[in-house]
Amino acid sequence: MRGHIRHGMGSVRPYLFGDRSVARFISQALAGEELERLESGRGAHVEMRIGDSALVLEECEDWPAAQLRQCTYVYLPDVDAAFARAVALGAEVISEPEDKPYQERACALRDGYGNTWYVATYNG
């Protein structure tokens, strides 16, 4: 039974903070789909899907400088294509795509707000 889970996917999901650039990064670099956007006076509560998983983004243009940044691990079909899209959007490269000993090709990027994204394709 999954009726008790918002949008019917994932009992656990990342909860991120950021500005509009983070939603754009998720959508354009990681092929994310916006499921829901609830605007408020300060920003928006955004639910997004990447593949078969969902995440929550609290979007605001003026978060305090000390607002917590997050790390999120995402599996996509083509890590190299996602890496190229992310770099084109201005992401900071932490590590370029490389084959890992645990049967993944993976990279690490930081979006414009400071969240770290580990992106991988499983090759097992």
Side-chain angles (χ1 to χ4, degrees):
M1 171 172 163
R2 299 179 67 98
H4 66 284
I5 299 172
R6 190 172 189 83
H7 300 298
M9 10 173 208
S11 296
V12 178
R13 63 186 62 175
Y15 198 99
L16 306 175
F17 296 87
D19 57 18
R20 289 195 185 274
S21 72
V22 178
R24 186 171 48 255
F25 180 87
I26 294 167
S27 176
Q28 294 178 9
L30 306 176
E33 174 190 355
E34 191 171 292
L35 299 173
E36 180 177 88
R37 173 178 288 273
L38 303 171
E39 300 284 343
S40 68
R42 247 185 112 206
H45 173 91
V46 185
E47 300 262 344
M48 299 187 80
R49 172 183 21 226
I50 301 172
D52 64 355
S53 300
L55 60 82
V56 178
L57 171 63
E58 289 298 331
E59 189 178 89
C60 181
E61 296 304 313
D62 61 351
W63 284 115
Q67 181 65 44
L68 179 67
R69 283 14 179 214
Q70 304 291 321
C71 296
T72 304
Y73 205 94
V74 178
Y75 285 102
L76 294 174
D78 186 344
V79 67
D80 293 284
F83 177 83
R85 291 190 304 264
V87 170
L89 287 167
E92 175 187 343
V93 175
I94 298 171
S95 65
E96 295 192 12
E98 65 179 332
D99 294 326
K100 303 291 186 176
Y102 41 89
Q103 299 179 310
E104 289 182 6
R105 183 162 177 79
C107 67
L109 303 145
R110 188 166 293 119
D111 67 31
Y113 188 72
N115 297 300
T116 300
W117 297 86
Y118 296 94
V119 183
T121 300
Y122 179 66
N123 297 317

